């Protein structure tokens, strides 16, 4: 384990520039959060779009994804060299230049005897790249979203002391916090789940934890402040191919996906109201996302906080209606429309919720311009195109679309369905192209709790053992590789590798 532990010395810049420019630059210091910054209409299509923010987000997306997308062409290059006398040196040189790492020597030495194990090389570079991305994320905060006092204040001014979001675990929603909704990821609790169906008991525990912190520590505010916990569900659909590219967990049926999200939200509210007295309750918000172009549709609560499937407002609609206005006029008009639309129930929704919804719409307008500017108004990869599977709990660093298929779970048995879906997706994406399925198993822990690190490590090993049994044939043939990692949430550099199946396999062969 020791020699796998990363020395945080690589020089890849994930946050800026094309691939060729990355080699010698370190990540820039993150810009301050612009969540509440004044809109900047410079070259922007909509007056409320912050152009510089879009550029910064795009540099990060391009920087990270280009590394993953460069793996196959690079391996082809390396493969073509394998019969050269100085093969090892040249292969290591290429790996250092492109990915800031070296292959374990055993992986290259075996090439003389039985040819290069391309599956192992591929998995190894994916794992190195995933680790490097995570380290950059926790060290440099390239999305400038780790903390945001401005957002905390804004949230409380809207009447909420906490925001918990459950998007679907589909990789096409992995950027929902930092890009689609433009919220500081550190101030929002994200817990993805297949079909956006979250665990009510677990959500209730989190609510208790939040309320207890308010009571004991006045964190984030005192328990007598009249704010509430806001729970949001993000379901999804595909505008261009609704019958095939929607949510797999709901058979690509948009109405079913929305209804399931709503039912779960209502169950959570009932759980809180029935379990705790003194008028305990929570606020709810349901959001739909078109994964083709990142447009959101917000279901607006009425005066009593009730949601309906029909009472919605679309970001595209407000975008088109306000694009010719000044930024101030546009903001006023969006708020007016939110208020008007919220009147369908027993009365219009409260001002704080209206303000929050207005902000989400404005933030999403910037994302619509982002997709238009950098992805031609509609993503090319409207279906699955994830680069690795993430299993376990954590993965705060994954804030990019179609980078990771999440399978959040405690045990393989409990999350078998999610993991099977992931393996099926990757069988089509990778195995069909001769590439293995890279699985990153990860558990975050609280370093202040005695024994937590060891338990997180043991947890990783258990997940791997169960996955190896479940997918024995794939593992045996080298089609499935695992990287095990843990992270201390309380330490800025708390990421640690527990084991890597690629190096384990080759070291084992060496000793036999
Ligand atoms: Zn889904």
């Amino acid at each position: 384990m020791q020699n796998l532990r990363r020395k945080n010395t690589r020089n890849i810049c994930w946050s800026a520039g094309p691939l060729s420019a990355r080699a010698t630059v370190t990540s820039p210091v993150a810009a301050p959060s612009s969540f509440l910054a004044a809109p900047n209409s410079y070259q922007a299509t909509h007056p409320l779009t912050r152009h510089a923010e879009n550029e910064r987000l795009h540099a990060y997306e391009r920087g990270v994804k280009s590394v993953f997308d460069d793996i196959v062409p690079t391996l082809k290059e390396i493969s073509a060299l394998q019969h050269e006398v100085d093969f090892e040196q040249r292969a290591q040189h290429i790996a250092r230049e492109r990915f800031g790492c070296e292959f374990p020597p055993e992986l290259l030495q075996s090439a003389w005897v039985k040819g290069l194990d391309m599956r192992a090389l591929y998995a190894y570079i994916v794992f190195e790249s995933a680790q490097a991305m995570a380290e950059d994320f926790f060290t440099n905060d390239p999305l400038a979203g780790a903390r945001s006092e401005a957002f905390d204040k804004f949230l409380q001014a809207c009447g909420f002391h906490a925001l918990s979001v459950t998007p679907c675990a589909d990789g096409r929603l992995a950027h929902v916090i930092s890009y689609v909704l433009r919220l500081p990821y550190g101030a929002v609790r994200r817990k993805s789940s297949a079909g956006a169906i979250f665990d009510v008991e677990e959500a209730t525990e989190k609510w208790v934890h939040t309320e207890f912190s308010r009571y004991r520590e006045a964190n984030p505010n005192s328990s007598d402040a009249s704010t509430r916990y806001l729970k949001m569900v993000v379901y999804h659909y595909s505008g261009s191919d609704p019958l095939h590219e929607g949510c797999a967990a709901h058979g690509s049926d948009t109405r079913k996906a929305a209804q399931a999200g709503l039912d779960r939200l209502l169950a959570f509210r009932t759980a809180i109201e029935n379990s705790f007295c003194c008028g305990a309750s929570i606020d709810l918000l349901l959001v739909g996302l078109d994964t083709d172009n990142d447009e959101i549709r917000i279901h607006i609560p009425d005066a009593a906080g009730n949601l309906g499937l029909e009472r919605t407002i679309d970001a595209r609609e407000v975008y088109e209606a306000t694009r010719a206005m000044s930024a101030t006029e546009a903001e006023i008009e969006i708020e007016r429309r939110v208020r008007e639309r919220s009147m369908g129930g027993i009365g219009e929704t409260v001002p704080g919720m209206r303000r929050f919804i207005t902000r989400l719409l404005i933030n999403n307008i910037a994302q619509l311009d982002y997709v238009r500017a950098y992805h031609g108004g509609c993503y090319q990869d409207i279906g699955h195109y994830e680069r690795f599977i993430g299993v376990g709990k954590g993965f705060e660093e994954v804030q990019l679309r179609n980078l990771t298929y999440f399978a959040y779970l405690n045990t393989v048995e409990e999350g078998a369905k999610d993991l099977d879906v992931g393996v099926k997706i990757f069988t089509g994406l990778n195995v069909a192209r001769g590439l293995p399925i890279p699985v990153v198993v990860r558990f975050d822990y609280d370093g202040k709790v005695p024994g937590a690190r060891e338990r997180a490590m043991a947890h990783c090993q258990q997940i791997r053992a169960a996955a190896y049994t479940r997918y024995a044939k794939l593992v045996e043939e080298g089609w499935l590789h695992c990287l095990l990692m843990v992270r201390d949430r309380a330490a800025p550099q708390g990421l640690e590798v527990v084991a890597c199946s690629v190096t384990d396999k080759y070291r084992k062969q060496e000793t036999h």
Side-chain angles (χ1 to χ4, degrees):
M1 188 185 78
Q2 196 60 36
N3 46 14
L4 264 174
R5 226 176 254 180
R6 183 154 305 286
K7 309 168 284 294
N8 200 17
T9 53
R10 64 181 61 208
N11 284 326
I12 290 183
C13 173
W14 296 86
S15 319
L19 202 64
S20 56
R22 284 202 321 265
T24 55
V25 197
T26 49
S27 284
V29 176
S33 169
S34 53
F35 180 79
L36 293 172
N40 167 13
S41 61
Y42 167 69
Q43 283 185 4
T45 320
H46 191 281
L48 287 167
T49 294
R50 294 182 292 265
H51 197 73
E53 180 181 281
N54 275 3
E55 278 183 358
R56 188 165 52 82
L57 290 172
H58 180 241
Y60 181 70
E61 182 185 30
R62 190 185 51 191
V64 171
K65 285 190 176 168
S66 64
V67 169
F68 285 94
D69 295 344
D70 202 32
I71 298 175
V72 169
T74 302
L75 289 181
K76 282 185 181 161
E77 213 178 299
I78 288 175
S79 168
L81 295 172
Q82 61 183 304
H83 301 297
E84 303 284 331
V85 190
D86 57 350
F87 165 65
E88 267 186 70
Q89 290 90 318
R90 288 171 72 179
Q92 296 292 29
H93 178 74
I94 291 173
R96 273 195 306 274
E97 287 274 297
R98 311 269 171 91
F99 304 107
C101 67
E102 286 195 358
F103 293 112
E106 311 88 274
L107 214 57
L108 300 177
Q109 283 152 10
S110 66
W112 294 101
V113 198
K114 42 191 173 180
L116 278 175
D117 183 346
M118 297 306 280
R119 290 170 206 169
L121 289 177
Y122 177 84
Y124 186 78
I125 296 291
V126 169
F127 292 154
E128 283 287 309
S129 303
Q131 267 175 266
M133 177 192 74
E135 273 162 9
D136 174 59
F137 187 86
F138 293 117
T139 310
N140 301 312
D141 189 17
L143 293 173
R147 302 200 77 82
S148 176
E149 275 180 35
F151 177 73
D152 291 346
K153 277 191 194 148
F154 169 75
L155 199 61
Q156 287 179 31
C158 291
F160 312 116
H161 54 258
L163 172 59
S164 165
V165 180
T166 292
C168 178
D170 191 308
R172 294 171 295 175
L173 282 81
H175 64 321
V176 70
I177 304 297
S178 294
Y179 284 71
V180 175
L181 302 175
R182 303 287 169 104
L183 302 173
Y185 66 85
V188 178
R189 182 175 176 265
R190 175 184 67 176
K191 179 80 200 308
S192 306
S193 166
I197 303 297
F198 62 89
D199 182 322
V200 173
E201 277 73 24
E202 197 186 323
T204 304
E205 275 172 33
K206 283 290 167 192
W207 179 86
V208 170
H209 190 273
T210 305
E211 300 308 310
F212 196 68
S213 292
R214 294 176 73 211
Y215 178 71
R216 295 287 302 180
E217 307 164 34
N219 175 32
N221 65 1
S222 156
S223 59
D224 54 10
S226 61
T227 53
R228 293 214 272 191
Y229 187 99
L230 176 59
K231 178 72 189 177
M232 188 196 294
V233 157
V234 185
Y235 66 91
H236 65 106
Y237 48 92
S238 161
S240 68
D241 192 1
L243 298 179
H244 302 100
E245 297 295 354
C247 186
H250 300 292
S252 272
D253 183 327
T254 307
R255 197 176 171 83
K256 253 191 204 165
Q259 186 66 55
L262 178 59
D263 290 348
R264 201 45 69 107
L265 284 170
L266 295 174
F268 181 31
R269 185 165 69 186
T270 305
I272 298 296
E273 289 174 353
N274 288 356
S275 308
F276 304 91
C277 63
C278 316
S281 190
I282 53 171
D283 277 313
L284 311 175
L285 206 48
L286 180 65
V287 174
L289 171 68
D290 184 339
T291 52
D292 292 356
N293 53 20
D294 289 347
E295 277 175 41
I296 59 166
R297 163 183 303 167
I298 302 180
H299 296 257
I300 306 185
D302 64 13
N306 294 314
L307 291 163
L309 286 193
E310 312 304 334
R311 202 167 52 247
T312 61
I313 188 160
D314 285 13
R316 176 66 63 189
E317 167 208 326
V318 297
Y319 182 108
E320 296 302 340
T322 58
R323 66 188 300 178
M325 297 178 177
S326 73
T328 314
E329 284 168 353
E331 197 163 343
I332 293 168
E333 174 60 15
I334 294 169
E335 177 146 20
R336 191 193 67 76
R337 283 172 181 253
V338 170
R339 184 175 189 173
E340 187 184 77
R341 205 62 57 83
S342 75
M343 289 176 181
I346 60 160
E348 64 190 40
T349 187
V350 293
M353 180 61 97
R354 291 207 303 266
R355 196 175 160 197
F356 186 72
I357 291 173
T358 301
R359 177 50 60 179
L360 292 183
L361 289 169
I362 289 173
N363 289 357
N364 189 240
I365 280 173
Q367 182 65 7
L368 297 186
D369 275 340
Y370 179 92
V371 178
R372 174 149 48 191
Y374 303 114
H375 299 281
C378 178
Y379 288 105
Q380 282 195 319
D381 51 342
I382 64 164
H384 286 282
Y385 196 61
E386 292 95 338
R387 276 68 169 184
F388 61 92
I389 297 180
V391 180
K393 286 195 175 154
F395 296 105
E396 201 174 29
E397 74 277 16
V398 176
Q399 298 284 335
L400 290 175
R401 183 180 183 276
N402 249 345
L403 185 67
T404 309
Y405 174 88
F406 291 116
Y408 282 116
L409 46 82
N410 271 315
T411 63
V412 165
E413 293 72 26
E414 163 203 306
K417 208 174 119 227
D418 283 12
L419 198 50
D420 285 348
V421 171
V423 169
K424 191 172 163 222
I425 289 168
F426 272 78
T427 303
L429 281 178
N430 280 18
V431 178
R433 292 194 295 150
L435 302 172
I437 304 170
V439 179
V440 178
V441 182
R442 158 92 170 272
F443 282 91
D444 286 3
Y445 63 91
D446 184 344
K448 298 191 292 293
V449 177
R453 175 173 168 266
E454 288 68 27
R455 283 191 291 276
M457 287 174 152
H459 212 155
C460 282
Q461 307 270 18
Q462 284 159 9
I463 295 281
R464 179 175 62 176
Y468 275 16
T469 307
R470 194 170 183 88
Y471 309 110
K473 196 165 162 13
L474 286 170
V475 173
E476 203 175 300
E477 293 171 3
W479 289 118
L480 192 143
H481 278 284
C482 284
L483 174 74
L484 314 188
M485 285 202 290
V486 293
R487 186 176 84 92
D488 180 359
R489 274 193 298 268
Q493 315 234 333
L495 204 66
E496 196 179 338
V497 170
V498 180
C500 168
S501 66
V502 180
T503 42
D504 287 357
K505 180 182 163 193
Y506 276 84
R507 302 244 155 90
K508 219 178 275 166
Q509 283 176 358
E510 286 285 293
T511 54
H512 282 173

